[in-house]
Amino acid sequence: GAERFGSRGAGSPPPPPGALDTGDPRTRRYRRIDVQLNIMSFLSPQDLCHLGSTSCYWRAAVQDPLLWRYFLLRDLPFWTSVDWKSLPDVEIFNKAFSEVSDNALYDYMAAYKKSCPQSRRSLKSSRPRYGTVTSFLQSLVTQAEPRFAMFGPGLEELDDSLVQKMMTCPEILLVAGLPQRQIHGIGSGVSFQFNNNQKFNILTLYSTTSVERRRARAEQAVAVNKMFYQENSIVGNQQAVHYSVIAQVKKVCEVVDGFIYVANAEAHKKHDRQEELARILAMIDPALGPSNRPLLVLSCVSHVGVKRIPCVYVAHQLQLNLLRQPWMVQDTVAATLDGLLSGIEWLLEEANCKNAQ
């Protein structure tokens, strides 16, 4: 128990001087708690909840904050999605457990249940289905497919092209057509069909021309992003970077129902998340449209074998907690489109909820 959890159970007072005598009953109690915690750490959180329902003693035992902090820090790197309602507080990463007094412990058990994708899915499945019916009836009236602007470095920096895969995998995502709706030179985007049912449109916005992107990749350089222009401002004593979008992109931002940001989540690459956030803020600027339009962040790697940055870390690096609209980060693999449909499903639901309002 000492190797995994330290010398005592969380919430227990330290043994008083003289209590280290092996015959002291209090010492045996601390040892029993250590062994108990160590055993429980090998159970799954679901098993712990079942154990807690067996008696008052075990209900109190399985709520130990130290145990749930261990689960949270162990499991969150493997979670494949996180959203604006479930992102764990950054405090769990930055503050040592011993820094918090016993009467003000962070509720790690509640944080785990709120953040765990399995818990979010079970909550979602338990909700009434009338919202889907409402969205379906509304689609019959409007006959308009939602449009989303897709942008970000993951579209251009990865070895596998996410867009090319989306266009050539009808068994995963069916291309429904190329609408003839021009938006000031940007194009009309591509219409897809989700689960052979709802249609939606994606306008892909690249940083520059295809020729310049190919040249940058060949030279292993960063292409100049022509979607934005920089405006510097002074905040306090420091110069802050602020971006605005060019006129053509502005027209897109004014008409879309949401945004898809493709982040490069490959761990071996360098990332300037502060600049990425500044560009996200330029796209979702409330001056360009409703402030509640959803943002889907595809935390993307080229293929399965590439080591990725966990989506919870990507969310914190991009400081998505500063955003006021609904957002979700979804792990995605460009070569296989793994995770893409889960992200699209969330985006369509949020867009339908926004339109219903």
Side-chain angles (χ1 to χ4, degrees), residues 198-262:
Q198 183 171 2
K199 290 184 179 180
F200 62 97
N201 185 272
I202 292 181
L203 296 108
T204 303
L205 304 175
Y206 291 104
S207 65
T208 186
T209 66
S210 58
V211 173
E212 290 172 320
R213 294 198 305 272
R214 283 196 296 269
R215 183 185 302 125
R217 285 186 63 83
E219 297 173 357
Q220 296 185 342
V222 178
V224 176
N225 195 320
K226 296 182 179 179
M227 287 172 51
F228 306 90
Y229 60 91
Q230 187 171 323
E231 297 175 332
N232 293 328
S233 58
I234 304 298
V235 178
N237 295 326
Q238 294 185 337
Q239 182 170 299
V241 176
H242 174 74
Y243 285 104
S244 293
V245 295
I246 61 174
Q248 296 93 322
V249 174
K250 181 179 178 181
K251 294 297 181 183
V252 173
C253 294
E254 290 173 346
V255 300
V256 296
D257 299 287
F259 302 90
I260 302 173
Y261 183 76
V262 185

Side-chain angles (χ1 to χ4, degrees), residues 18-89:
L20 297 179
D21 179 11
T22 55
D24 194 308
R26 288 171 293 182
T27 303
R28 290 196 296 271
R29 172 175 171 267
Y30 290 120
R31 286 180 176 173
R32 185 181 73 248
I33 291 174
D34 278 349
V35 172
Q36 183 176 287
L37 280 173
N38 193 39
I39 292 173
M40 288 192 294
S41 72
F42 290 99
L43 300 177
S44 70
Q46 292 79 10
D47 290 337
L48 271 187
C49 292
H50 291 313
L51 178 61
S53 65
T54 59
S55 69
C56 293
Y57 173 81
W58 285 112
R59 181 161 59 247
V62 300
Q63 292 177 357
D64 191 290
L66 184 58
L67 182 66
W68 283 95
R69 183 179 189 269
Y70 164 74
F71 281 134
L72 191 58
L73 294 179
R74 181 197 68 183
D75 292 349
L76 64 83
F78 301 100
W79 291 341
T80 57
S81 67
V82 67
D83 64 18
W84 59 300
K85 296 179 180 178
S86 62
L87 181 66
D89 195 285

